Amino acid sequence: MIWVAATLIAATAQTARNAAQAGLTQEVGTLGATAVRFVFGFPFAALALLAVSVWNPPPSPGLTAIGWAALGAMAQIAATAFMLVTMRDKGFGVATALMKTEPVTLALIGAVVLAEPLGPARLAAIGLATLGVVLASGAAWGRAAWGTVATGVLSGALFGLSAIGFRGALLALTDGGYVIRAMTVLAITLGLQAAVMLAWLGLRDRAALRAIAAQWRLSLGAGALGAFASLFWFIGFALTPAANVRTLALVEVVMAQLLSGRLFRQTVRPVQLVGMGLILAGVAWLLAVAARPS
């Protein structure tokens, strides 16, 4: 059950990173804040891999692993941009909840693409937790701004696709333990993402590049948190199907709501508390199923 500890560490770090990115959006724009997690995260990932490779040589990635990593990398860039747009329009906690419809996407795509069917009990646990997400979002669905809700759900779907890409890359690496494989895929992924974002901003939005440089202290912190969180996500993906990891990660919704109340003074309504209870029940069910001997 190492994947459980890795997922909880990743979810905690990601909540802090999302808060840092949300604060940067006003200063550097949506694309600039999207680039921060990749451009400032890559040096941390590269240095960590270099340090570990002294004792544990990393596996050599083939074209299959690089292809899967590229799919995950590009989907994650798009997902992060939609996430920040949703945060700007609907608030930090609500945006996080909407994105966390992701496990449903993961369960479906994982079964088809990676041949990892989860079975009725796990699917039911994912469904229960996802219902909790819908309630915890706090959106007034009858009069919701559907364009903004759509960007949140689309962000979740793209994060799901990115997780499938990362899981595929990790499975394509046949040498080494799960930690060195996770570090290798992380360095490849962040390198691709940093190159793409720097090229795009250099051609289309140099003002955002200057703004990122001016906010380098906040950007460095967001990048470090992003690399740290991603490493533990990848460790989880290396050990169990991505849908298991992302369903357990729904505890992040509870963290985000608490953080919203403390930092952004957003109120939590009773229906949201019910939703958070369903999330925790679904996660507990998933863990109970996962702990059964196969």
Side-chain angles (χ1 to χ4, degrees), residues 17 36-38 40-42 44 218-228:
R17 188 214 64 209
V36 159
R37 68 176 291 187
F38 309 126
F40 285 84
F42 173 64
F44 290 100
L218 287 176
S219 297
L220 197 63
L225 284 169
F228 183 78

Side-chain angles (χ1 to χ4, degrees), residues 69 105 134 142 148 150 163 197 215 222 226 244 271:
T105 307
V134 173
T148 302
M197 292 306 301
Q215 297 291 331
N244 287 345
V271 68

Side-chain angles (χ1 to χ4, degrees), residues 51-69:
V52 172
S53 65
V54 174
W55 298 277
N56 190 359
S60 298
L63 290 178
T64 301
I66 293 174
W68 279 113

Side-chain angles (χ1 to χ4, degrees), residues 1 3 103-104 107 116-130 167 239-245 247 282-283 285-294:
M1 301 292 281
W3 70 271
V104 175
E116 294 180 331
L118 298 176
R122 294 193 192 200
L123 290 175
I126 290 171
L128 181 63
T130 303
R167 169 79 169 161
L239 294 171
T240 191
N244 287 345
V245 173
T247 302
V283 166
W285 189 0
L286 176 72
L287 291 177
V289 174
R292 293 175 188 167
S294 55

Side-chain angles (χ1 to χ4, degrees), residues 147-238:
T148 302
V149 172
T151 61
V153 174
L154 179 57
S155 175
L158 286 168
F159 274 124
L161 182 60
S162 72
I164 291 295
F166 300 145
R167 169 79 169 161
L170 288 159
L171 293 176
L173 294 178
T174 56
D175 298 328
Y178 60 87
V179 175
I180 193 65
R181 286 189 289 124
M183 296 181 76
T184 301
V185 173
L186 177 62
I188 293 171
T189 299
L190 287 177
L192 289 171
Q193 291 168 324
V196 168
M197 292 306 301
L198 285 173
W200 178 265
L201 292 177
L203 291 172
R204 302 296 298 269
D205 197 349
R206 294 185 181 179
L209 279 178
R210 291 192 291 271
I212 290 171
Q215 297 291 331
W216 66 270
R217 289 184 179 86
L218 287 176
S219 297
L220 197 63
L225 284 169
F228 183 78
S230 294
L231 174 60
F232 283 92
W233 287 132
F234 287 9
I235 288 174
F237 295 153

